[in-house]
Amino acid sequence: MKVDHIGIAVKNLKEVIEKFQKVYPDLHFHTEKSKDGEMEIAFLKFENIEIELLESLKEESVINRFIQKKGEGIHHIALEVKNINESMDKLNNSHIRLINNKPKIGSKDSLVTFLHPKGFNGVLVELCQKKGI
Ligand code: ZN
């Protein structure tokens, strides 16, 4: 059981990284573009968790829409699971609403799916299964 990361919607990824570096000058992180090209993503590595910064690259992206509606801030929490299909089946059987009915390839080539915030107390929850598990 692990909270893999917390996703934060930001307007300017570099500025936010610099803020974290004021606290942790040796901060380790890596950046990548999302598969759909909608976002630039930075993963900041902490001991037991990562922070995922999400910057929109396109006007119509999910992150841009989120920021327009709610402003910058926490977008989702990601729970690591061993078998994403099994977890999705259990949630479906319990009528907990999923946003996607099939896992998709997310950052770092993990398999991901999202649960609807309406079914999870207002929190957007990502399930992720790491590559190679
Ligand atoms: Zn995420």
Side-chain angles (χ1 to χ4, degrees):
M1 287 187 288
K2 185 178 176 224
V3 175
D4 182 70
H5 64 266
I6 295 172
I8 304 177
V10 302
K11 288 181 184 163
N12 186 319
L13 220 135
K14 277 199 186 108
E15 276 180 23
V16 182
I17 292 172
E18 281 166 20
K19 281 185 207 168
F20 276 95
Q21 284 173 325
K22 301 237 186 290
V23 182
Y24 296 112
D26 298 330
L27 182 73
H28 289 281
F29 67 93
H30 95 266
T31 57
E32 66 183 55
K33 216 172 240 168
S34 64
K35 297 275 179 284
D36 54 15
E38 284 196 350
M39 296 176 282
E40 181 74 15
I41 304 171
F43 276 97
L44 317 185
K45 295 182 193 308
F46 294 87
E47 262 176 49
N48 299 312
I49 194 169
E50 291 185 321
I51 290 181
E52 180 186 48
L53 302 175
L54 306 157
E55 179 188 324
S56 172
L57 298 174
K58 286 185 181 162
E59 189 74 31
E60 69 280 9
S61 75
V62 176
I63 291 303
N64 199 36
R65 275 186 277 139
F66 177 88
I67 290 175
Q68 305 263 309
K69 228 162 108 184
K70 300 186 177 175
E72 294 178 287
I74 293 181
H75 179 258
H76 65 271
I77 61 166
L79 308 177
E80 187 182 314
V81 293
K82 293 235 179 325
N83 184 330
I84 199 164
N85 288 306
E86 200 178 289
S87 299
M88 288 172 78
D89 284 347
K90 280 187 189 158
L91 290 159
N92 267 327
N93 293 340
S94 309
H95 306 290
I96 293 172
R97 216 164 127 196
L98 298 160
I99 292 178
N100 328 96
N101 48 16
K102 267 190 193 163
K104 55 179 188 174
I105 309 274
S107 45
K108 295 192 274 184
D109 290 327
S110 51
L111 289 172
V112 302
T113 193
F114 286 89
L115 315 187
H116 201 284
K118 284 203 171 120
F120 226 97
N121 310 76
V123 178
L124 178 62
V125 174
E126 172 186 338
L127 299 182
C128 61
Q129 179 186 327
K130 291 288 162 71
K131 197 186 173 189
I133 293 181

